[in-house]
Amino acid sequence: MIKWLFDRLMAFVGLLLLWPALLVVAILIKIKMPRGSIIFKQKRVGLNGKLFTMYKFRTMIVGHGGSSVSVAGESRITPLGRILRKYKLDELPELWNVFIGDMSFVGPRPDIPGYADALVGRDCDILKLRPGITGPASLKYANEEEILAQVENPKEYNDTVIFPDKVRINLDYYRNHSFVGDLKLILATIFRSYEIG
């Protein structure tokens, strides 16, 4: 209950304080990427496996038809999009997802159905958590796109190395998370100082 109240209160405060930044980013997207919508919407798997619509600022060209795995330097990511993704500004609209209860500030990143459907056995415990904007797995792989840019087959590496490791980290979070721990993860996200083995 404390986490539920904290999420909604802080999401409301965040939206209230950051609306000028949200507006500036929206205007820049409209100017620099006039073809297409400002907000990118995608179905993700949330609490108890229920689908919800996640909102982000659009960072790619329209109709790119690319892989679900993003790699740094891809041509489908626009110059403005690269900046937004580097500083995680594209994720600011997720504050709305937190405010309406689809997401939490801290938790496993919500996967697209194809990846969430691959969870079996105790791995499915991850779906008992409300997905988050940040979390221990997100922090470990904050530079995921750069990592994938250095391997020969990004999707295969993601599916066989990164995704299983994220599942392991998220299961550990499921078993050991606490409100105080969440606060530490939020601060670590802000200052990018967290390391996990």
Side-chain angles (χ1 to χ4, degrees):
M1 179 58 74
I2 293 177
K3 181 173 181 175
W4 189 89
L5 291 172
F6 174 83
D7 282 339
R8 275 141 198 81
L9 177 61
M10 294 309 297
F12 177 75
V13 171
L15 289 167
L16 199 63
L17 294 177
L18 294 175
W19 74 263
L22 289 162
L23 181 62
V24 168
V25 173
I27 292 172
L28 287 173
I29 292 173
K30 195 63 181 175
I31 293 172
K32 298 292 186 179
M33 299 184 285
R35 184 168 172 260
S37 62
I38 292 172
I39 298 294
F40 170 72
K41 304 175 185 178
Q42 188 177 52
K43 291 294 182 183
R44 298 289 181 102
V45 179
L47 182 66
N48 297 320
K50 294 182 179 179
L51 292 178
F52 72 97
T53 302
M54 190 175 79
Y55 302 98
K56 300 177 75 170
F57 280 124
R58 182 170 63 87
T59 58
M60 296 186 180
I61 60 175
V62 176
H64 56 77
S67 167
S68 59
V69 176
S70 299
V71 178
E74 285 184 295
S75 59
R76 60 178 176 160
I77 302 174
T78 68
L80 175 60
R82 280 193 285 274
I83 295 172
L84 297 180
R85 293 166 84 97
K86 179 179 180 180
Y87 296 103
K88 307 298 183 184
L89 296 175
D90 60 317
E91 297 183 7
L92 286 178
E94 291 171 36
L95 286 170
W96 178 251
N97 285 118
V98 176
F99 181 69
I100 63 177
D102 290 331
M103 294 177 65
S104 173
F105 275 103
V106 181
R109 285 296 294 172
D111 285 313
I112 58 175
Y115 282 99
D117 294 343
L119 296 173
V120 295
R122 298 309 298 269
D123 291 353
C124 295
D125 285 345
I126 294 170
L127 299 178
K128 296 177 183 178
L129 294 167
R130 203 177 303 276
I133 292 178
T134 189
S138 301
L139 284 165
K140 179 175 181 178
Y141 290 103
N143 63 334
E144 181 177 331
E145 292 185 1
E146 286 75 19
I147 294 173
L148 292 173
Q150 297 172 15
V151 299
E152 185 175 345
N153 189 326
K155 188 175 189 308
E156 180 182 355
Y157 188 84
N158 177 76
D159 294 353
T160 60
V161 178
I162 294 180
F163 179 70
D165 193 37
K166 285 181 177 179
V167 171
R168 177 188 64 81
I169 295 169
N170 286 328
L171 279 174
D172 183 67
Y173 172 78
Y174 168 75
R175 297 184 185 112
N176 300 294
H177 70 281
S178 66
F179 181 67
V180 172
D182 283 356
L183 293 179
K184 290 180 179 178
L185 287 168
I186 290 171
L187 290 174
T189 299
I190 295 172
F191 296 107
R192 295 295 172 91
S193 60
Y194 185 83
E195 292 183 4
I196 186 167

